[in-house]
Amino acid sequence: MNINQHWLTDITRTPSPNFDERPDPADISLLVIHCISLPPGEFDNHYIDRLFCNQLDPDDHPYFKDVYQLTVSAHLLIKRDGVCVQYVPFDKRAWHAGKSIYEGRERCNDFSIGIELEGTELVDYTDRQYAQLARVIRTLLETYPKLSTQRITGHSDIAPGRKTDPGASFDWQRLLGLLK
């Protein structure tokens, strides 16, 4: 796995329109781990792609009536089978963190990369997801010098009280062990 012009190579690209310029494109200094499933608790479908590309049909599921108009994205999604999809190049600002703060610095989208894991806060993530996540993170660490294993956090940590992902089902020690 490599990065070419801020895109991972050898993965699926599904470009999202939901991004803009970073205030400082060289300031990529935080990794934020999220989880997502659409509808909640359902996996292995095309709805996440559709949400991030503003193509979610509100008539496909009752839950979608509340979220189909959101303009959100992440840089990456790692599906349950380990397949990785990139929506936004890393030098651009994806819209994943919302109102957020890390070490006193607000607007985490400005300086972070958002990685979504297909899952929920209550269902264990898969072996393939952990392996792919570690592989992706190692590649990012080699490419972006301001990143480090000490600057990986959960959405819940940068938006406490508002977000709970990746949740209790995410094994932080396992991830850090895979990065050694």
Side-chain angles (χ1 to χ4, degrees):
M1 178 176 289
N2 294 301
I3 295 175
N4 183 4
Q5 296 182 346
H6 305 284
W7 290 92
L8 286 170
T9 59
D10 303 320
I11 65 158
T12 302
R13 289 185 190 178
T14 303
S16 170
N18 301 331
F19 72 92
D20 57 4
E21 298 297 321
R22 293 180 184 273
D24 178 359
D27 184 13
I28 298 171
S29 57
L30 182 66
L31 295 176
V32 179
I33 309 298
H34 303 261
C35 73
I36 188 170
S37 59
L38 286 176
E42 293 186 25
F43 309 129
D44 195 29
N45 59 48
H46 56 272
Y47 293 124
I48 297 169
D49 290 344
R50 288 190 176 176
L51 175 67
F52 289 165
C53 293
N54 303 332
Q55 298 170 348
L56 193 61
D57 186 338
D59 295 325
D60 283 353
H61 189 276
Y63 179 80
F64 297 165
K65 291 185 183 349
D66 293 330
V67 299
Y68 81 98
Q69 291 182 330
L70 296 176
T71 51
V72 295
S73 63
H75 290 92
L76 299 172
L77 168 69
I78 301 176
K79 297 181 178 187
R80 306 289 294 172
D81 60 4
V83 168
C84 191
V85 180
Q86 186 168 357
Y87 300 94
V88 175
F90 300 122
D91 64 332
K92 304 299 182 191
R93 178 172 48 195
W95 303 341
H96 60 94
K99 185 177 179 183
S100 53
I101 187 167
Y102 181 78
E103 294 183 345
R105 189 170 173 197
E106 295 181 353
R107 299 178 48 98
C108 294
N109 285 343
D110 290 353
F111 56 95
S112 68
I113 291 173
I115 302 174
E116 295 275 2
L117 299 175
E118 185 179 38
T120 75
E121 293 93 339
L122 303 174
V123 175
D124 288 343
Y125 298 95
T126 68
D127 293 341
R128 288 182 177 179
Q129 284 179 298
Y130 281 106
Q132 184 72 289
L133 179 60
R135 186 175 174 220
V136 165
I137 290 174
R138 282 192 299 272
T139 302
L140 292 169
L141 293 174
E142 291 170 2
T143 306
Y144 300 101
K146 292 184 179 181
L147 292 175
S148 72
T149 56
Q150 292 77 37
R151 295 187 60 82
I152 303 171
T153 193
H155 198 192
S156 57
D157 298 315
I158 63 169
R162 189 173 67 82
K163 295 294 179 177
T164 58
D165 57 310
S169 61
F170 187 76
D171 188 339
W172 287 100
Q173 295 302 351
R174 180 176 181 182
L175 173 63
L176 293 175
L178 290 169
L179 295 174
K180 290 182 179 179

